[in-house]
Amino acid sequence: MSTEIVINQVNMRFGKGDKAVTALSDINLDIPSGEIVSLLGPSGCGKSTLLRLIADLLEPSAGKIEVENESPRQARLQRKFGIIFQQPTLLEWRNVVDNVSLPLEFTGHSRKERKQIAMEQLRMVGLEKFAGHYPWQLSGGMQQRVAIARALTFNPPMLLMDEPFSALDEFTKERLHLEVIRIQEQTRKTVVFVTHSIPEAVFLSNRVIVLSAHPGKVKHNLSIELPGKRDLQIREHPAFFEYTTKVRSCFGEGAYDEDLLV
Ligand code: ADP
Ligand code: MG
C-alpha cells in the first residue's frame, strides 16, 4: 500500500510568549492511500489543526508534511484534495448545481463543461434530481451532500473531512456514513476524517489515529478490520464492540477530565 501523506516531526504552536499554545507536538504519521483514516480525539486535541496543516491552510512551526511526495502547497495548487467542514457553507443565492460548479469558474471551464462535471458529482451523492433547488430548500444532510459533491468537482485523490456530520441528527449521520463508504469504495480515494466520536471512527475507518490533548500527540495508530461489509448491521457485530472498547481504552481516564468535555 503506497503512502499518500507523510507527517514528520510536526509541531504546531499558536501565539507567542506566555500566551503560546502548543496545539501539536512531535507528530509522526503515515497515511496510506486508498483508505479511510480517522483522526480521533477529544475537543481541543489538535485534529482540525492537523487537517489544516495537511490542507495548506496552516504552516507547521516545525517539521515537514508531504502529500503525494510534494509539499501541501503544491498539492493544494494541483487540487489534490477536496475539503469538507462541519458547515456546508453553500451560497444561498445559487442553486445546487451552481454551488457545486463554483470551483470550476476559476479554472476556465466552459459553462457547459461546468454543468456536466457538477451533474456527475451530484449523481455521485445521489442528488441529481435536486440540481435546480436552492440550499434553503434542502435538509441539513442534503446540504452536506452538496458540499461533498463540491469537494469532488476536481475529482481529487483525497478528501479531507473535518467533523462533517457533527451537526446532523443520528439517522442522517448514519446514512451519510454509508454514503462516504460507498463513494470511497467506488472511487478509491484517500479519506482523512476528523471526528470526536469513537463509533463513527470505528465504523468508517480502515485506520484510527488516536490523539491526546495538551499538547496534541499521536497516542495510538490502530488498524480496524471488521469482518464483512460495512453496513448498519456490522454495528451489532461483537468485533465492532471490541474495537470501540479498545479505542476507548486508548484514552484512559484523562480523556474524561472536565475541561475536555465540551
Ligand atoms: P480540535 O479540532 O481537536 O478540537 P483544534 O485543532 O481546533 O482542536 O485546536 C487545538 C488547540 O489549538 C486548541 O487548544 C485551540 O485552542 C488551539 N488553536 C487552534 N487554532 C488556533 C488559532 N488559530 N490560534 C490560537 N490557538 C488555536
Ligand atoms: Mg476541530
Side-chain angles (χ1 to χ4, degrees):
M1 185 60 70
S2 63
T3 304
E4 193 99 342
I5 302 167
V6 179
I7 300 170
N8 195 357
Q9 282 300 112
V10 161
N11 283 273
M12 186 69 204
R13 281 163 73 83
F14 290 107
K16 291 206 168 77
D18 286 356
K19 295 209 175 94
V21 175
T22 303
L24 294 169
S25 170
D26 296 334
I27 306 290
N28 290 296
L29 203 55
D30 285 0
I31 296 181
S33 66
E35 293 194 357
I36 305 184
V37 176
S38 285
L39 306 177
L40 171 73
S43 187
C45 75
K47 304 180 292 297
S48 295
T49 301
L50 189 51
L51 201 77
R52 295 172 89 86
L53 287 167
I54 295 169
D56 188 42
L57 299 171
L58 287 173
E59 280 187 52
S61 311
K64 193 172 169 194
I65 298 180
E66 285 188 357
V67 180
E68 285 194 339
N69 301 313
E70 294 182 306
S71 67
R73 174 80 30 99
Q74 286 164 321
R76 177 167 64 79
L77 293 173
Q78 292 169 52
R79 302 172 199 287
K80 292 269 177 81
F81 39 76
I83 311 180
I84 297 135
F85 296 102
Q86 189 174 333
Q87 297 301 331
T89 59
L90 304 175
L91 299 177
E92 290 295 319
W93 61 91
R94 280 181 168 237
N95 66 17
V96 164
V97 71
D98 287 344
N99 263 287
V100 175
S101 66
L102 181 70
L104 299 165
E105 286 179 21
F106 310 104
T107 51
H109 289 76
S110 71
R111 193 170 166 74
K112 195 172 155 209
E113 281 172 326
R114 294 203 299 264
K115 176 143 193 215
Q116 195 184 339
I117 295 169
M119 287 307 293
E120 241 169 71
Q121 303 311 351
L122 282 173
R123 219 164 289 129
M124 179 62 82
V125 299
L127 282 183
E128 67 272 34
K129 292 206 182 91
F130 295 86
H133 283 57
Y134 285 84
W136 46 269
Q137 294 174 304
L138 306 179
S139 67
M142 288 160 92
Q143 290 186 23
Q144 202 53 304
R145 277 152 72 196
V146 176
I148 295 173
R150 184 183 53 196
L152 291 169
T153 35
F154 292 107
N155 194 20
M158 279 166 267
L159 286 181
L160 309 178
M161 308 179 87
D162 193 351
E163 304 205 20
F165 310 140
S166 298
L168 303 173
D169 66 77
E170 279 305 306
F171 302 99
T172 308
K173 207 183 282 187
E174 287 188 353
R175 275 197 55 193
L176 289 182
H177 288 157
L178 297 176
E179 195 102 320
V180 168
I181 288 167
R182 180 184 57 75
I183 292 169
Q184 198 274 338
E185 279 175 355
Q186 253 172 279
T187 62
R188 293 282 149 204
K189 292 188 193 301
T190 305
V191 179
V192 184
F193 192 97
V194 164
T195 177
H196 57 239
S197 158
I198 295 170
E200 182 171 58
V202 170
F203 181 66
L204 282 178
S205 316
N206 305 107
R207 182 164 293 282
V208 175
I209 314 295
V210 177
L211 299 168
S212 62
H214 309 300
K217 276 182 176 289
V218 174
K219 247 185 139 181
H220 292 278
N221 185 333
L222 292 171
S223 167
I224 309 285
E225 286 163 33
L226 292 172
K229 201 169 152 35
R230 291 190 193 222
D231 51 21
L232 295 179
Q233 281 75 44
I234 201 84
R235 291 174 203 246
E236 313 296 328
H237 197 285
F240 185 78
F241 289 106
E242 278 168 30
Y243 275 117
T244 51
T245 307
K246 192 171 170 185
V247 171
R248 191 168 285 115
S249 72
C250 291
F251 289 105
E253 297 291 315
Y256 303 98
D257 287 352
E258 226 171 293
D259 64 328
L260 296 179
L261 294 174
V262 177

